[in-house]
Amino acid sequence: MNLRDKYGIPHDAVITIAGTVGVGKSTMTKTLAEALDFKTSFEKVDTNPYLDRFYDDFSKWSFHLQIYFLAERFKEQKRMFEYGGGFIQDRSIYEDTGIFARMHKEKGTMDPVDYETYTSLFDAMVMTPYFPHPDLLIYLEGSLESIIGRIQERGRPMEQQTPITYWEEMHGRYEDWIDNFNGCPVLRLNINDYDIVKRPEDVEKILDRIGSHLTKTAVYRG
């Protein structure tokens, strides 16, 4: 018996992984996809025409960047469902508006009119019954100390140069966002409860929780 059947996870499920930087989204995405024989969906940053411009001038390009992200994530969401499901997705379409666009507006790096235009477009495209929402959003959470420790351990130069205050702010914004999120069913996993790298057997514990959550919320599409 394969692990999908063992834990009652539909072969056409679409599961999205969310959480702030350093919680292990990419590792979780790859591990769950391998365990379930699912495909992966990762954000494409190399082809993004706005990233370099955005980092040069936040205020000028934040709106353009968010619109680009919205269009690309919308197309990817449709693609996964048109393919027939069976995907683990790294990062959700919901985080852009709930966290990043709002942060730019509050910090003054996105014009309030642009922000209203962006959120209106997001609501019209995504927050409707016609949008193919994921069957489950897995939110990876942990203490600020644990997350900063992981960021420091993996040693990416740009992240090492980022002030601790930024990670504190992002941690708080993510916690506020998930506490008020209702776009699709949510399963919260604390990163201190599992170690899928050092303890591979933990993967099946997570699959058991996923299967139970999907059954409880009755999120099946045939």
Side-chain angles (χ1 to χ4, degrees), residues 1-208:
M1 178 184 293
N2 62 48
L3 292 177
R4 290 197 310 268
D5 293 339
K6 180 178 180 181
Y7 294 105
I9 300 171
H11 68 88
D12 60 349
V14 173
I15 299 171
T16 295
I17 312 297
T20 190
V21 175
V23 291
K25 294 187 297 295
S26 297
T27 299
M28 183 66 72
T29 297
K30 294 173 186 175
T31 301
L32 291 182
E34 182 178 341
L36 295 170
D37 195 24
F38 275 13
K39 295 166 285 296
T40 57
S41 173
F42 287 97
E43 183 178 51
K44 299 179 180 66
V45 295
D46 294 340
T47 56
N48 189 320
Y50 291 108
L51 271 181
D52 290 341
R53 304 180 204 187
F54 167 72
Y55 283 116
D56 285 339
D57 190 334
F58 286 179
S59 297
K60 183 176 181 179
W61 296 106
S62 61
F63 176 71
H64 302 75
L65 180 70
Q66 292 303 145
I67 291 293
Y68 179 85
F69 276 137
L70 176 59
E72 291 301 303
R73 294 195 205 285
F74 185 86
K75 289 188 290 186
E76 178 64 6
Q77 201 75 12
K78 285 184 61 182
R79 182 186 76 86
M80 289 189 294
F81 279 86
E82 288 168 355
Y83 193 94
F87 276 88
I88 307 293
Q89 181 183 33
D90 183 354
R91 286 205 64 216
S92 74
I93 194 170
Y94 310 105
E95 291 157 82
D96 280 322
T97 184
I99 296 170
F100 296 100
R102 178 174 294 175
M103 179 174 68
H104 284 300
K105 183 247 188 180
E106 292 175 355
K107 287 182 171 294
T109 51
M110 182 182 289
D111 184 271
V113 175
D114 286 345
Y115 177 75
E116 291 301 321
T117 300
Y118 170 79
T119 53
S120 294
L121 181 60
F122 178 91
D123 289 344
M125 291 173 64
V126 177
M127 302 310 289
T128 74
Y130 311 106
F131 179 76
H133 295 276
D135 295 283
L136 183 66
L137 184 145
I138 296 177
Y139 179 69
L140 301 181
E141 61 186 346
S143 67
L144 177 63
E145 292 74 18
S146 297
I147 292 169
I148 290 176
R150 288 189 173 203
I151 291 170
Q152 293 173 340
E153 184 177 346
R154 70 184 182 183
R156 294 177 181 174
M158 187 175 70
E159 293 176 353
Q160 303 307 305
Q161 297 165 12
T162 301
I164 296 295
T165 52
Y166 176 80
W167 305 126
E168 292 174 345
E169 179 179 3
M170 290 307 299
H171 184 268
R173 285 184 178 273
Y174 263 94
E175 290 297 297
D176 290 343
W177 168 72
I178 198 63
D179 285 343
N180 296 286
F181 176 75
N182 59 6
C184 69
V186 174
L187 172 62
R188 300 174 75 140
L189 296 179
N190 193 300
I191 60 174
N192 295 318
D193 294 339
Y194 306 95
D195 192 331
I196 56 178
V197 175
K198 296 179 180 178
R199 299 193 303 270
E201 64 273 15
D202 282 358
V203 175
E204 292 206 37
K205 297 177 184 177
I206 294 171
L207 294 179
D208 185 39

